[in-house]
Amino acid sequence: MKSTQCYHCGDSCDDDLIKFDEKIFCCNGCKTVYEIFSENDLTCYYNFQDNPGAIPSEIQGKYDFLDNEEIVQKLLEFSDGNTQIVTLYIPHIHCSSCIWVLENLHKLNSKISSSQVNFPKKTVRVTYNSTTTSLKEIVLLLSSIGYEPYISLEDYEAGKKVVDRSLTYKLGVAGFAFGNVMFLSFPEYFEVSEFWLEQYKNIFRWLMFFFSLPVVFYAGKDYFVSAYKGLRSKILNIDVPIALGISVLFIRSSVEIIFDLGTGFFDSLTGLVFFLLLGKFFQQKTYNFLSFERDYKSYFPIAVTKISSEGKEENIQIYDVEKGDRLLIRNQELIPVDGILINGNAEIDYSFVTGEANPIHKKSGDKLFAGGKQLSGVIEMEVLSSVSQSYLTQLWSNDVFQKDNKSHFKTITDNISKNFTIAVLLVACISTAYWLFFDANKALNVFTAVLIIACPCAIALAAPFTLGNMLRIFGKQKFYLKNATVIEQLAKIDTLIFDKTGTLTTNKESTINYEGVPLSKLEKSILKSTLRASNHPLSRTLYHTFNAVETVAIVEYNEIVGKGISANYEENRLKLGAASFVKNNNEKVTLDTAVHISYNDEYKGKFIFKNAYRKGVKTLFSSLKKTYNLSVVSGDNEGEKKYLQENLPVETNLLFNQKPEDKLNVVAKLQEDNKKVAMIGDGLNDAGALAQSDVGIALSENINVFSPACDGILDAEKFNKIGTYIKASKKAIKIIKYAFLLSLCYNVIGLYFAVTGQLMPVVAAILMPLSSISIVVFTTVSTNFLGNKIK
């Protein structure tokens, strides 16, 4: 009697059969899941795969501990009173249908804003409205549809550390069977006809047949599953010809054994699967070895300002921050760790985390979460717990801020993979038809060898390994890029735009003189306290000239990008910035940059900055002029135009008095003329232009401010290497093209030997993974050599 399968989970339901909507379910849990999907128009979930669900467990009362707010807070990744974010480990994630349903949770519960699956880690990151739903409801929903999360307060990481050894087991089974089949095949190889072996010939053949069964149906199962899923989705993936080759060898060999026509090809069959799995194993090991260093973001030196017990301020690296430390967060700075607000006016923008840009007001004693950006003056906070650096840098790559830059090589790889299998199947069929006519004995070997030797895997690996390794190399060189696609964009650049203040100039060597009415002690304190809250390069430079002055508690701090700062203390109102901002319209154009100051609308004077240009600016521009269109844009007046004209190439376009929106328009206009533009700025006044450009690079003296607008961050020490990095990007693209060519040669040569009948399937199975490994080695060695040249 044929067993009846549950429509949802696929388990047998002969005992407790439940019918609903002309479908059969094994339990009420599975029926409920189907009802939920049906009510929310999500039944296409079952189109991805038959019986994709898992059986919901009995969960009544199991998650009552999530009613405890203290426990919930330990599990949450983020909470601002309205929005909460939690990352849950889901062991049942196993296929595309799982991803589809988990990323459509908002259709099952409208209070869920978004859900994002990390398939390799088997996690789902859920953002939801905490005022209308709760973590418990989310967990119960997941459990009810068969995706019960793993939650352990004692060791939350325990569930994630389970090592998948299935490939090792399959490799062991295939290797054991291959060795035994080879041993049993020796009498056939050497045509041994001694009486005691001849009489056991049929037993040997049947033993080979039985040894092949676990190889085909267990060790090689993944190839059939992948091919089946691909065909169901109307995609001819690379596993289709491999599964076809294994099937043909097994069926042909089985027929020969059953009808006593010959010994079959069980040696080739078991050897084929063994070497395919061995190749996959070594590819995995090679990838893991390289991945150990490929997390380039771990080099990202995020700096924070720590206040010592004596009240001194010092810059320290994020990984040196400990619980109980007191941190200073300035205007536009990112909150690096979870903590408690001690003092200051906190207006936090959590768009890095949630994508929502509405600032949230916090008062003293409130909890602050890592990833928020302070928008209103300076605050002090006490650290509650350290945060992994990868968490902060993953915010930088949040999909909310991604530009629409498609990878050229991903598109090429996708197109090749899509058409590759069709071409291979055609070649296999034509060559087999030829050999059936001329030498039928070779036909099967030719058919199988063609299917196995031709593989686009090497092509698919070329771009990710090259670009991934370049990300790591650039990271070590203090050039941090958001993702691999940025390298492709960087290689296309033909126009470079530089901001002046904080980019071409450095605040570390600038000299400052004050001209005007002497400032009182109180006025100096107000000024220093205002400067303390700002991250503008000129503010940071001026701030350090008032080391002996005490600070006061500023209120109503307001920094207007490109203009200046206003702040209040008791009855005093300070304005600091451009001449027009502080109402000094009589200012004459001078050679140097000036910051003007007024108290209570009474003009006091100005601080004159003698700009110090970075070392190597003149040399850098001279080296770039032949290859790129160069421009310098500045919000300052034309005071330094003459100096720049004398020191920069004649072709350089100089633009002054540029507001932030003007800089953006300059970039947009060049793009309208089909120019590929890279903007290099300080990341503050240039955010719009950085976002508009094809590649936006923020230069930083201390990397404690980074914006989603930029595609890369360059340490100021490496400013004179911008041209070298762009040139290295162009060479990396050449490496990928060479790897494509090498892979193409592999396939053409391999197909030639396979089609002409000179290649056995087992040899093809050995060569196929070797081609992939050789591409990985080629790209890695080439990029490492390139990396050594740019040091």
Side-chain angles (χ1 to χ4, degrees):
M1 181 179 174
K2 188 179 178 182
S3 175
T4 305
Q5 283 188 318
C6 173
Y7 184 73
H8 175 70
C9 71
D11 276 13
S12 173
C13 47
D14 294 331
D15 299 330
D16 301 305
L17 190 144
I18 298 171
K19 289 186 178 180
F20 175 76
D21 199 15
E22 298 182 359
K23 294 172 177 62
I24 295 171
F25 302 93
C26 65
C27 64
N28 281 313
C30 288
K31 181 174 83 73
T32 303
V33 176
Y34 174 78
E35 286 178 315
I36 293 172
F37 288 156
S38 183
E39 289 168 6
N40 292 277
D41 195 27
L42 293 176
T43 49
C44 52
Y45 167 64
Y46 298 99
N47 295 336
F48 287 92
Q49 179 182 344
D50 287 335
N51 325 115
I55 303 174
S57 303
E58 282 299 325
I59 55 173
Q60 188 173 0
K62 184 175 180 180
Y63 293 104
D64 285 350
F65 66 88
L66 292 177
D67 289 326
N68 187 317
E69 192 61 30
E70 290 184 9
I71 293 175
V72 170
Q73 289 300 322
K74 290 179 181 178
L75 296 172
L76 290 177
E77 185 178 301
F78 171 83
S79 176
D80 66 1
N82 292 318
T83 302
Q84 290 185 343
I85 299 177
V86 65
T87 298
L88 297 169
Y89 176 63
I90 314 285
H92 292 303
I93 296 177
H94 69 287
C95 66
S96 57
S97 59
C98 300
I99 298 172
W100 182 84
V101 73
L102 289 171
E103 292 196 342
N104 278 277
L105 290 178
H106 61 280
K107 293 184 179 179
L108 301 179
N109 184 341
S110 59
K111 285 85 176 179
I112 295 174
S113 306
S114 65
S115 49
Q116 188 174 6
V117 173
N118 184 324
F119 188 72
K121 293 183 178 180
K122 295 193 173 185
T123 61
V124 59
R125 188 171 187 257
V126 184
T127 305
Y128 59 95
N129 189 328
S130 58
T131 60
T132 54
T133 190
S134 65
L135 177 58
K136 181 181 177 182
E137 288 183 35
I138 303 295
V139 171
L140 290 175
L141 171 65
L142 287 167
S143 300
S144 71
I145 60 173
Y147 294 101
E148 185 178 6
Y150 174 92
I151 298 177
S152 170
L153 295 175
E154 293 180 0
D155 184 9
Y156 184 57
E157 292 294 317
K160 302 180 185 180
K161 294 179 181 177
V162 177
V163 179
D164 184 5
R165 294 191 174 89
S166 59
L167 178 59
T168 307
Y169 297 148
K170 289 172 183 175
L171 184 60
V173 169
F176 175 77
F178 175 51
N180 280 281
V181 169
M182 289 294 290
F183 178 73
L184 294 168
S185 299
F186 279 143
E188 303 278 353
Y189 290 155
F190 298 107
E191 298 181 352
V192 176
S193 58
E194 279 79 357
F195 70 95
W196 61 278
L197 283 178
E198 185 68 24
Q199 63 182 327
Y200 295 117
K201 180 171 66 175
N202 286 333
I203 296 176
F204 285 175
R205 288 177 177 177
W206 279 103
L207 281 173
M208 286 189 281
F209 171 76
F210 286 116
F211 273 122
S212 72
L213 293 177
V215 173
V216 174
F217 295 103
Y218 170 67
K221 181 181 71 173
D222 288 346
Y223 294 107
F224 292 100
V225 172
S226 175
Y228 173 70
K229 287 182 178 179
L231 290 172
R232 281 206 51 158
S233 303
K234 299 180 180 178
I235 297 171
L236 282 171
N237 59 34
I238 186 57
D239 289 330
V240 170
I242 293 175
L244 190 59
I246 294 172
S247 300
V248 169
L249 279 176
F250 179 70
I251 293 169
R252 169 70 187 274
S253 302
S254 299
V255 168
E256 288 197 10
I257 293 290
I258 293 168
F259 294 102
D260 198 22
L261 300 174
T263 189
F265 300 87
F266 290 115
D267 51 348
S268 294
L269 172 63
T270 52
L272 171 64
V273 176
F274 172 70
F275 285 114
L276 284 173
L277 292 174
L278 189 64
K280 186 185 285 188
F281 178 80
F282 277 112
Q283 280 182 33
Q284 195 177 82
K285 289 294 182 184
T286 305
Y287 187 83
N288 289 341
F289 173 74
L290 292 172
S291 295
F292 182 76
E293 276 202 304
R294 283 182 70 193
D295 185 13
Y296 67 99
K297 291 176 181 177
S298 62
Y299 298 105
F300 195 97
I302 302 172
V304 294
T305 304
K306 177 183 174 182
I307 303 175
S308 66
S309 54
E310 295 83 25
K312 292 183 179 179
E313 298 171 12
E314 58 176 330
N315 278 342
I316 63 170
Q317 300 296 329
I318 182 64
Y319 41 74
D320 291 330
V321 173
E322 297 176 354
K323 182 179 179 180
D325 284 349
R326 194 178 180 116
L327 302 182
L328 179 77
I329 310 296
R330 299 184 185 86
N331 190 55
Q332 297 295 316
E333 274 191 8
L334 202 68
I335 297 170
V337 292
D338 293 348
I340 298 292
L341 178 63
I342 298 174
N343 60 55
N345 180 31
E347 293 287 337
I348 311 297
D349 172 11
Y350 280 118
S351 59
F352 262 108
V353 185
T354 65
E356 299 293 332
N358 297 326
I360 297 166
H361 179 73
K362 295 287 183 180
K363 60 182 183 297
S364 181
D366 285 350
K367 185 175 181 180
L368 304 177
F369 287 88
K373 180 181 277 190
Q374 164 63 357
L375 298 181
S376 179
V378 68
I379 58 173
E380 293 182 21
M381 60 176 285
E382 183 178 323
V383 176
L384 284 179
S385 61
S386 58
V387 71
S388 66
Q389 191 149 304
S390 60
Y391 172 75
L392 287 182
T393 49
Q394 83 179 8
L395 298 177
W396 189 24
S397 299
N398 193 330
D399 289 340
V400 175
F401 306 111
Q402 292 293 327
K403 295 179 182 178
D404 187 23
N405 288 335
K406 293 182 179 178
S407 170
H408 172 66
F409 291 108
K410 189 176 186 301
T411 304
I412 289 177
T413 305
D414 288 345
N415 290 334
I416 289 173
S417 298
K418 187 167 66 175
N419 299 312
F420 196 89
T421 303
I422 298 172
V424 169
L425 289 173
L426 285 173
V427 171
C429 291
I430 293 168
S431 55
T432 304
Y434 172 85
W435 284 107
L436 281 171
F437 184 75
F438 286 99
D439 187 352
N441 292 326
K442 282 188 176 182
L444 183 62
N445 275 344
V446 168
F447 182 72
T448 312
V450 169
L451 293 176
I452 302 304
I453 192 65
C455 177
C457 298
I459 294 174
L461 290 172
F465 269 88
T466 303
L467 299 178
N469 209 30
M470 285 307 297
L471 283 177
R472 179 188 66 82
I473 290 166
F474 281 148
K476 281 191 169 182
Q477 291 289 312
K478 298 185 178 182
F479 183 35
Y480 311 98
L481 299 180
K482 183 177 284 188
N483 51 48
T485 308
V486 176
I487 298 176
E488 289 185 57
Q489 299 298 323
L490 203 57
K492 299 175 185 176
I493 294 301
D494 55 27
T495 302
L496 292 171
I497 300 178
F498 293 85
D499 179 45
K500 182 176 75 71
T501 307
T503 304
L504 298 184
T505 63
T506 174
N507 55 20
K508 288 185 176 179
E509 299 176 22
S510 298
T511 56
I512 305 171
N513 294 308
Y514 177 69
E515 292 182 1
V517 179
L519 301 178
S520 67
K521 185 177 179 181
L522 177 61
E523 287 172 337
K524 287 181 180 178
S525 292
I526 297 171
L527 175 59
K528 180 181 179 180
S529 303
T530 304
L531 294 169
R532 185 176 185 239
S534 174
N535 247 310
H536 192 280
L538 296 180
S539 298
R540 303 305 315 135
T541 306
L542 189 55
Y543 172 75
H544 291 297
T545 64
F546 293 96
N547 288 332
V549 179
E550 294 184 0
T551 57
V552 294
I554 292 295
V555 294
E556 294 185 29
Y557 176 95
N558 184 29
E559 185 166 353
I560 302 172
V561 176
K563 294 184 178 180
I565 306 168
S566 63
N568 291 355
Y569 175 72
E570 294 179 349
E571 300 299 321
N572 297 287
R573 178 174 175 79
L574 164 70
K575 294 186 81 174
L576 178 76
S580 58
F581 181 70
V582 298
K583 303 294 189 286
N584 178 28
N585 298 319
N586 298 320
E587 174 67 9
K588 296 178 182 179
V589 173
T590 60
L591 178 64
D592 300 310
T593 300
V595 172
H596 301 261
I597 182 172
S598 71
Y599 278 95
N600 301 320
D601 294 327
E602 180 185 341
Y603 184 75
K604 289 289 186 179
K606 60 184 178 182
F607 292 92
I608 299 174
F609 290 73
K610 181 67 176 177
N611 285 324
Y613 283 82
R614 296 188 188 279
K615 293 178 181 177
V617 168
K618 187 174 182 179
T619 306
L620 173 65
F621 272 71
S622 297
S623 65
L624 294 173
K625 68 178 182 180
K626 295 179 182 178
T627 313
Y628 307 99
N629 301 308
L630 302 175
S631 295
V632 175
V633 295
S634 174
D636 297 337
N637 57 43
E638 297 185 2
E640 297 192 28
K641 185 174 183 178
K642 185 177 179 182
Y643 174 84
L644 291 172
Q645 285 176 331
E646 291 173 353
N647 287 275
L648 300 184
V650 178
E651 302 88 350
T652 306
N653 186 25
L654 303 176
L655 299 169
F656 294 89
N657 298 307
Q658 298 291 300
K659 298 175 183 176
E661 56 270 26
D662 296 329
K663 295 178 183 179
L664 187 153
N665 291 332
V666 169
V667 174
K669 189 174 180 181
L670 286 166
Q671 289 173 326
E672 288 175 5
D673 295 332
N674 296 318
K675 300 292 185 184
K676 298 295 182 182
V677 183
M679 172 76 193
I680 300 96
D682 58 22
L684 294 171
N685 297 346
D686 315 307
L690 290 171
Q692 177 66 37
S693 62
D694 296 282
V695 178
I697 300 172
L699 196 75
S700 187
E701 302 274 4
N702 291 308
I703 303 180
N704 53 359
V705 180
F706 63 95
S707 163
C710 66
D711 300 295
I713 297 177
L714 177 64
D715 191 292
E717 294 177 6
K718 301 290 184 176
F719 172 74
N720 58 356
K721 286 200 168 186
I722 289 174
T724 306
Y725 294 146
I726 299 176
K727 192 180 292 183
S729 298
K730 295 180 186 293
K731 289 182 178 178
I733 301 305
K734 286 185 179 178
I735 290 172
I736 296 174
K737 291 178 179 177
Y738 289 142
F740 275 7
L741 188 63
L742 184 60
S743 179
L744 183 64
C745 291
Y746 264 127
N747 282 294
V748 170
I749 294 170
L751 279 172
Y752 167 76
F753 283 104
V755 167
T756 55
Q758 302 177 60
L759 195 64
M760 294 295 290
V762 175
V763 179
I766 296 171
L767 293 177
M768 190 190 81
L770 282 178
S771 68
S772 298
I773 293 171
S774 64
I775 290 295
V776 170
V777 171
F778 169 75
T779 56
T780 305
V781 170
S782 300
T783 48
N784 284 343
F785 178 74
L786 180 58
N788 289 330
K789 289 182 69 176
I790 64 175
K791 285 183 179 179

